[in-house]
Amino acid sequence: MEIDEVAARVVRSYWAVLLVMTVLPLVLVGLVMSGREPPYTAGARLQASSRATDAAPGDAGVSIVVSQVKAFATSENLLSGVLRRQRLDRSTVKTAKAIEVTGLGTSTVVELSVKDRDPEVARRLADAIGAAVVQEINESNQGSIRRQMADIDKRVRKLEKDLGPLARRAGRQPDPDIGAANERERVQAELTDLRSNRSDLQTQLSSAGTASVVQPAVLAPRRNPVVMTAAIAGLVGLVGGILIAVVMEMARPTIPGQRRVARRLGVPLLGWADRGPARLADLGRRVRLAAKKEGVGRVVLVGAPGPLPADLVSSVASAVYGDDTKIVKARPGDDAPDGDHAPDGDRGEDGGTDGPSLNSKGPGGKTSTSVVRAGAGTGVMTKKSEISPSEVRRPAPVRRLCQVHAFEEIDPGSDDEVGVVVVVGPVTRVAGLETVRDLVAASGWPLLGVVAASRKIKG
């Protein structure tokens, strides 16, 4: 199946579903957000880490930094403390939802924005949350190192305090304390190790990086989110409508377009039944040609499926019969005298003449006529400028009459040869074509072609 056919099946058959599913979300979003004022947004920029290695992985490193900042900024403990210090009556849950963190390129600088209905509150919250996040990041990166350094400094001070008495006892004369001398050596060795460890921790602290506030909070221009939200809602609704249409199409498959129906049935598209007199006349000629090719004298019109409206059957029958033609005089003023009409014996059964009307006068007094319609069982002649006396009584060639009926009017017991013409609209169900195939298989009637209608057929 071609892609254009799939798209046509979804759009032509379920355009109303797609329209409703697209327009309804737009209207609902417009109604919900029509009376709402857009919130104010304040943004502050933070240096999440001063280490150059954090930005080395590129987008992956930036994503890690952004996730870390947002995790700290939306934590319950941090927000509770910030709101308490700022003396703001705000919910921590709603405040967390109003916080956004975005990366700036591949650097470790991120932008923390806070939305609130009050512009001053939005600015204060952005500054306070940014400072709290910086403090938390520094504590996370450097806290353990600083605690270890503090423990080392405390131990060094104690050992240095103990080292003096030990040195005096070890150097006492004339009776030095050997045990104090040994303890002094142990304390000096431990002090050497502690100072070495503190030097390593200082190096680690320098390489850990320090977070800081790069730019205080600044109010951003207000933007109305109604248009963007409505567009997103319409797009989501359209996708939902397409899914619904696909499911419905799988349950009840259809064929879009009249020409595709003709290709499915393996017959020609004979013409259009509702596109003006010219197309209708062309349809009549093609139906007669198809009937002549199959050697049938009657044509039955069937829907796919269901009965056809009477006016549609009548218009197709009129086109096939040629009932839209009529007698036209040659020129005004050239009317024949009342007594010069054709004799009564030369008229057809339906009141038309079996031959041309001869009583209009052409230039120079010569006889001229234009016969546009002939009665049943006669042929239609073209316009002639002159008619010789020997051709006055020459009968027109007889055309075989092709009768057109709706399927409901056909007598199944008739011995006449009948041909089937299918009338379809813009969209035809596959089940309808199966009923047509069953009819052709059961009756043995030849399938002549397909007649197209521009609108949905309602019987």
Side-chain angles (χ1 to χ4, degrees), residues 258-272:
Q258 298 85 347
R259 191 167 295 279
R260 288 190 177 94
V261 173
R263 287 204 301 263
R264 283 287 188 95
L265 294 176
V267 293
L269 180 64
L270 298 176
W272 296 82

Side-chain angles (χ1 to χ4, degrees), residues 4 60 173 314 351 371 426:
D4 60 339
Q173 294 296 332
S314 177
V371 178

Side-chain angles (χ1 to χ4, degrees), residues 239-396:
V239 173
I242 293 176
L243 293 178
I244 293 174
V246 169
V247 172
M248 295 176 65
E249 182 65 22
M250 292 174 62
R252 297 186 302 173
T254 58
I255 301 175
Q258 298 85 347
R259 191 167 295 279
R260 288 190 177 94
V261 173
R263 287 204 301 263
R264 283 287 188 95
L265 294 176
V267 293
L269 180 64
L270 298 176
W272 296 82
D274 53 359
R275 289 194 176 180
R279 303 293 290 272
L280 194 59
D282 181 67
L283 170 63
R285 288 190 292 270
R286 294 187 180 212
V287 171
R288 290 197 299 268
L289 288 173
K292 181 180 179 182
K293 176 184 176 182
E294 297 294 338
V296 297
R298 291 192 180 190
V299 173
V300 58
L301 300 180
V302 298
L308 299 173
D311 56 347
L312 179 60
V313 177
S314 177
S315 62
V316 175
S318 176
V320 175
Y321 295 152
D323 286 351
D324 57 344
T325 58
K326 58 183 179 179
I327 298 177
V328 179
K329 296 180 180 179
R331 279 191 301 272
D334 291 343
D335 293 344
D338 294 339
D340 291 345
H341 292 289
D344 294 340
D346 294 333
R347 294 182 178 273
E349 293 178 0
D350 62 346
T353 60
D354 289 341
S357 297
L358 308 174
N359 298 314
S360 60
K361 301 294 183 180
K366 296 182 180 180
T367 303
S368 175
T369 183
S370 294
V371 178
V372 183
R373 180 189 184 280
T378 63
V380 178
M381 299 178 63
T382 59
K383 180 178 178 181
K384 296 183 180 180
S385 59
E386 295 184 2
I387 299 179
S388 62
S390 61
E391 296 175 342
V392 170
R393 299 299 178 187
R394 180 178 299 172

Side-chain angles (χ1 to χ4, degrees), residues 29-304:
V29 169
L31 292 177
V32 171
M33 303 187 65
S34 60
R36 295 186 179 180
E37 289 290 332
Y40 292 90
T41 303
R45 294 188 177 183
L46 311 178
Q47 176 76 46
S49 176
S50 60
R51 293 185 301 176
T53 55
D54 289 344
D59 293 339
V62 173
S63 177
I64 294 174
V65 173
V66 170
S67 300
Q68 182 187 29
V69 173
K70 190 166 186 179
F72 284 122
T74 56
S75 63
E76 180 74 18
N77 295 335
L78 185 144
L79 290 179
S80 299
V82 168
L83 293 174
R84 184 173 57 255
R85 289 191 295 270
Q86 296 296 322
R87 298 180 180 179
L88 295 175
D89 186 15
R90 296 288 189 275
S91 170
T92 56
V93 177
K94 292 183 178 180
T95 304
K97 292 180 179 179
I99 296 175
E100 292 184 4
V101 180
T102 55
L104 300 176
T106 58
S107 67
T108 57
V109 178
V110 298
E111 183 169 0
L112 185 146
S113 59
V114 181
K115 296 180 180 179
D116 195 86
R117 58 182 180 272
D118 189 340
E120 182 62 23
V121 171
R123 188 187 61 78
R124 288 167 54 192
L125 281 176
D127 280 334
I129 294 174
V133 168
V134 167
Q135 182 179 357
E136 290 290 336
I137 292 177
N138 288 333
E139 177 66 22
S140 175
N141 294 338
Q142 304 175 0
S144 61
I145 299 177
R146 291 185 181 277
R147 284 191 293 272
Q148 293 180 39
M149 292 178 65
D151 294 339
I152 291 175
D153 291 340
K154 183 178 178 180
R155 180 63 177 169
V156 167
R157 286 193 298 270
K158 183 179 183 303
L159 292 176
E160 287 178 346
K161 183 179 178 180
D162 296 338
L163 186 61
L166 291 174
R168 286 193 298 270
R169 288 168 53 191
R172 186 175 54 190
Q173 294 296 332
D175 186 17
D177 189 347
I178 303 299
N182 294 334
E183 183 67 17
R184 183 188 62 181
E185 295 295 331
R186 187 190 66 78
V187 169
Q188 288 178 346
E190 185 177 355
L191 283 174
T192 302
D193 293 340
L194 290 175
R195 291 189 179 103
S196 176
N197 293 338
R198 192 181 190 284
S199 178
D200 294 340
L201 291 175
Q202 186 66 40
T203 303
Q204 294 180 19
L205 183 64
S206 301
S207 62
T210 304
S212 61
V213 177
V214 177
Q215 173 184 295
V218 178
L219 287 175
R222 298 182 73 183
R223 292 178 295 181
N224 194 342
V226 175
V227 176
M228 181 62 67
T229 306
I232 294 175
L235 183 60
V236 172
L238 178 60
V239 173
I242 293 176
L243 293 178
I244 293 174
V246 169
V247 172
M248 295 176 65
E249 182 65 22
M250 292 174 62
R252 297 186 302 173
T254 58
I255 301 175
Q258 298 85 347
R259 191 167 295 279
R260 288 190 177 94
V261 173
R263 287 204 301 263
R264 283 287 188 95
L265 294 176
V267 293
L269 180 64
L270 298 176
W272 296 82
D274 53 359
R275 289 194 176 180
R279 303 293 290 272
L280 194 59
D282 181 67
L283 170 63
R285 288 190 292 270
R286 294 187 180 212
V287 171
R288 290 197 299 268
L289 288 173
K292 181 180 179 182
K293 176 184 176 182
E294 297 294 338
V296 297
R298 291 192 180 190
V299 173
V300 58
L301 300 180
V302 298

